[in-house]
Amino acid sequence: MALKPAIINVMEGAARKAARNLVRDFGEVEQLQVSRKGPSDFVSAADLRAEDTLLRELRKGRPDFSMLMEESGSAQGVDNQNRWIVDPLDGTTNFLHGVPHFAISIAHEENGTVVAGLVYQPLTDEMFWAVRGSGAFLNHRRLRVSAREHMQDALLATGLPYRGKPKHPSYMATLNAILPMVAGVRRLGAAALDLAWVAAGRYDAFWEFDLERWDVAAGLLLVREAGGSASDMAGRDNAWSGAEVLATNTALHGNLRRIVGKSLHNTENATE
């Protein structure tokens, strides 16, 4: 059984407290689906309540840390070398529509490097966590990325741009290039969980554009600590910004990077 370090215990305690309200609010959202007004305002409130709980609990555990939170933005702490990076509700659109696929994501960044991360799915009670150099775990079980080596056997995950998001041509180009070569592609709408599932071997790879640091900080650490590869589309160590994310098992990374890179190159040439 894996013993959780103190920093993970702080994250877990905060995530479980925030999760109790999210689970309760999710039950309310399911009921609101039948109303004319819909649950949009209610979900916004649920998101903010979860963030307030996480902020309060994380500050109890590490009162001097700085913060980067999806809703509240940055907050400078006494300790500017250590920072929490928090997404209180990854998969907000799923939550909004009563789809039971969402998560809380928390990462600890030290001197610009993510050193610990946690992704928690409240409805299934799955706690994915990792510490830099010490491996990745699901609850108390060690995680390893999948061992699949052939594209035709691979199940991939991605995200697609929604209203107001750029890069529609880029997304479609990569999707059209990859779809004929793999066993399947899923778009479930929660990037932190997608990355956690790559770490767990449920997906063989994940790619997406235009994410934010709080979407990917914990999940990318999970993938790497589970033995996987993570980069931008050119293979550089720039995935942590969220602008371009390609996370895979090690065997598929090079091939997928070439496919994605070629499709992006062709798209750029076609638009010139």
Side-chain angles (χ1 to χ4, degrees):
M1 179 179 292
L3 294 176
K4 295 173 183 172
I7 197 72
I8 295 297
N9 287 330
V10 171
M11 293 184 192
E12 179 175 355
R16 288 192 181 279
K17 282 204 172 182
R20 286 200 287 269
N21 287 334
L22 283 179
V23 170
R24 182 200 64 213
D25 290 342
F26 183 72
E28 294 295 322
V29 166
E30 290 183 302
Q31 297 303 314
L32 287 169
Q33 292 300 320
V34 300
S35 72
R36 179 179 295 273
K37 182 178 179 182
S40 298
D41 292 340
F42 183 88
V43 171
S44 296
D47 207 334
L48 291 170
R49 277 195 296 271
E51 186 167 281
D52 287 344
T53 300
L54 291 167
L55 177 63
R56 182 176 64 251
E57 295 302 317
L58 291 171
R59 280 184 169 161
K60 283 182 184 177
R62 295 292 186 275
D64 294 337
F65 278 22
S66 298
M67 294 275 184
L68 176 62
M69 309 190 83
E70 181 181 13
E71 301 301 331
S72 305
S74 297
Q76 193 69 35
V78 175
D79 182 354
N80 59 16
Q81 304 301 309
N82 287 281
R83 181 168 72 160
W84 295 119
I85 302 174
V86 179
D87 188 344
L89 180 53
D90 179 58
T92 305
T93 301
N94 286 344
F95 194 98
L96 173 70
H97 289 272
V99 176
H101 190 77
F102 57 89
I104 295 166
S105 177
I106 308 171
H108 169 212
E109 182 185 74
E110 183 178 23
N111 294 317
T113 298
V114 176
V115 295
L118 177 148
V119 175
Y120 182 50
Q121 215 295 28
L123 297 180
T124 60
D125 194 30
E126 290 186 311
M127 185 78 65
F128 301 89
W129 59 276
V131 174
R132 188 177 177 88
S134 298
F137 300 84
L138 169 52
N139 296 330
H140 294 287
R141 177 173 61 83
R142 185 71 178 257
L143 293 180
R144 294 294 299 176
V145 294
S146 75
R148 294 183 185 88
E149 299 179 354
H150 304 293
M151 291 286 288
Q152 63 265 30
D153 300 323
L155 179 64
L156 276 61
T158 190
L160 296 174
Y162 52 88
R163 184 180 59 193
K165 284 285 187 177
K167 291 205 174 183
H168 283 262
S170 298
Y171 272 98
M172 296 314 299
T174 58
L175 186 61
N176 289 335
I178 288 171
L179 268 174
M181 307 183 70
V182 298
V185 174
R186 302 289 182 264
R187 198 285 191 196
L188 295 186
L193 271 180
D194 287 337
L195 289 165
W197 285 18
V198 172
R202 298 174 184 177
Y203 292 140
D204 302 295
F206 166 78
W207 86 98
E208 191 165 350
F209 303 92
D210 296 321
L211 294 168
E212 300 291 346
R213 192 162 178 81
W214 51 75
D215 295 314
V216 302
L220 287 174
L221 183 67
L222 282 162
V223 171
R224 287 203 170 166
E225 288 299 318
S229 299
S231 72
D232 66 9
M233 303 309 176
R236 299 166 300 200
D237 191 19
N238 292 334
W240 302 92
S241 71
E244 294 181 359
V245 178
L246 179 62
T248 75
N249 70 17
T250 303
L252 295 176
H253 191 263
N255 199 9
L256 270 170
R257 184 166 56 80
R258 285 189 291 272
I259 294 167
V260 170
K262 182 178 179 180
S263 65
L264 290 176
H265 176 74
N266 292 340
T267 301
E268 290 170 0
N269 288 342
T271 57
E272 289 179 355

